[in-house]
């Protein structure tokens, strides 16, 4: 499963230390991280269950073949190894996403385990080749954010930095502090993206809300766009990077 279990454990530990040291830890961030850890534990339990079933099947097949006693006491080790290999392969095949190209209107089969790729693709769209965590957007010329600019890997507009860092990171940061804090940027973007995925039910809508403030169908109906790109084009770019990251991780099916 594409699931950064160790990373989430470390993230939760960081939040715990942060809260103990400073009394600050974004409640929504902690809750979501705990949820992911629970999913990871569930996945591990399912793999263990598959291994036990596979072990029984391997033993049955092994017993049906008359190979004598040449393996002696090492036979059970062979059962264990074969069982775990089979169980892990089943888990991998079941959880492997389809990295193939889809039409922009189709829905990606997305779950919490894929947040690593969704978040990475969001960063690619916003700042790949233009600074990453240190990226600074141009001054916005019109709309509700006129006169402001975006900051960091995920292009968070200045007006949102204070409230979003307070909500998700547990400490209100200034724009300059946010630009220097990679962890805060990741935490804010992940929680906003996944919160909107939970609210609207699709990762496409979550990405659209990040870009336009509206779910995809509403954004396209209203012709939502910034100075350079429409909502349809933005989602298309995000999907391209998302699929590219999946292909790099899993290869072609």
């Amino acid at each position: 499963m594409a699931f950064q279990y160790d990373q989430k454990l470390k993230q939760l530990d960081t939040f715990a230390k942060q809260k103990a040291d400073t009394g600050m830890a974004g409640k929504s961030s902690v809750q979501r991280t705990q949820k992911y850890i629970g999913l990871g534990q569930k996945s591990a339990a399912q793999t263990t269950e598959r291994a036990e079933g596979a072990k029984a099947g391997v033993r049955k097949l092994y017993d049906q073949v008359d190979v004598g006693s040449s393996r002696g006491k090492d036979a059970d080790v062979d059962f264990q190894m074969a069982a775990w290999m089979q169980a892990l392969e089943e888990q991998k095949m079941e959880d492997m996403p389809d990295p193939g190209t889809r039409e922009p209107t189709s829905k990606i089969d997305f779950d919490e385990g894929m947040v690593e790729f969704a978040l990475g693709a969001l960063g690619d769209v916003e700042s790949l080749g233009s600074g990453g965590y240190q990226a600074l957007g141009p001054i916005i010329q019109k709309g509700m954010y006129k006169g402001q600019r975006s900051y960091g890997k995920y292009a968070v507009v200045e007006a949102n930095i204070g409230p979003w860092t307070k909500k998700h990171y547990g400490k209100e940061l200034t724009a300059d502090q946010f630009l220097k804090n990679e962890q805060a940027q990741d935490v804010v973007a992940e929680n906003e993206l996944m919160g909107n995925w939970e609210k609207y039910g699709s990762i496409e809508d979550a990405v659209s809300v990040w870009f336009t403030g509206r779910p995809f169908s509403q954004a396209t109906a209203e012709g939502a766009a910034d100075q350079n790109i429409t909502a349809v084009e933005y989602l298309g770019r995000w999907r391209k990077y998302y699929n590219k990251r999946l292909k790099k991780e899993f290869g072609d099916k």
Side-chain angles (χ1 to χ4, degrees), residues 104-115:
T105 54
S106 65
K107 299 291 185 180
I108 290 175
D109 184 13
F110 184 84
D111 62 34
E112 292 93 338
M114 308 311 295
V115 62

Side-chain angles (χ1 to χ4, degrees), residues 23-41:
M24 293 181 289
K27 184 177 180 181
S28 62
S29 299
V30 174
Q31 289 175 338
R32 182 162 285 108
T33 303
Q34 289 173 329
K35 178 180 178 182
Y36 291 163
I37 289 173
L39 289 169
Q41 291 171 334

Side-chain angles (χ1 to χ4, degrees), residues 26-224:
K27 184 177 180 181
S28 62
S29 299
V30 174
Q31 289 175 338
R32 182 162 285 108
T33 303
Q34 289 173 329
K35 178 180 178 182
Y36 291 163
I37 289 173
L39 289 169
Q41 291 171 334
K42 181 179 179 181
S43 178
Q46 290 173 341
T47 301
T48 301
E49 184 178 347
R50 283 191 176 90
E52 291 302 315
K55 180 179 176 181
V58 170
R59 183 180 295 277
K60 183 177 180 180
L61 290 173
Y62 188 91
D63 290 343
Q64 289 175 351
V65 180
D66 184 12
V67 294
S69 58
S70 60
R71 299 195 182 193
K73 64 180 181 179
D74 293 330
D76 192 52
V77 175
D78 289 341
F79 293 146
Q80 293 279 9
M81 180 62 71
W84 274 104
M85 288 178 66
Q86 181 174 332
L88 290 172
E89 184 63 22
E90 290 176 0
Q91 184 79 47
K92 178 181 176 181
M93 293 304 294
E94 179 177 311
D95 292 326
M96 183 180 290
D98 179 7
T101 302
R102 298 175 174 86
E103 294 298 322
T105 54
S106 65
K107 299 291 185 180
I108 290 175
D109 184 13
F110 184 84
D111 62 34
E112 292 93 338
M114 308 311 295
V115 62
E116 166 195 358
F117 305 104
L119 198 62
L122 193 66
D124 290 341
V125 174
E126 295 289 2
S127 65
L128 184 64
S130 61
Y133 288 105
Q134 302 304 312
L136 284 173
I139 300 298
I140 299 170
Q141 300 299 320
K142 60 181 180 179
M144 64 184 295
Y145 298 118
K146 183 178 179 180
Q148 300 184 39
R149 71 192 321 167
S150 62
Y151 289 77
K153 182 175 182 178
Y154 309 100
V156 178
V157 177
E158 186 175 356
N160 292 327
I161 290 174
W164 283 3
T165 52
K166 183 176 181 180
K167 178 181 179 182
H168 300 305
Y169 189 62
K171 178 181 180 181
E172 186 171 342
L173 302 181
T174 66
D176 288 340
Q177 290 172 329
F178 184 70
L179 194 64
K180 298 173 184 176
N181 193 324
E182 295 183 6
Q183 184 189 47
Q185 292 183 37
D186 288 339
V187 167
V188 164
E190 178 177 329
N191 279 274
E192 281 295 315
L193 186 68
M194 296 305 288
N196 284 316
W197 172 71
E198 292 170 354
K199 179 178 180 179
Y200 294 102
S202 81
I203 191 62
E204 290 84 359
D205 282 335
V207 171
S208 178
V209 170
W210 181 266
F211 176 58
T212 70
R214 288 156 282 182
F216 187 62
S217 59
Q218 182 183 348
T220 54
E222 296 174 1

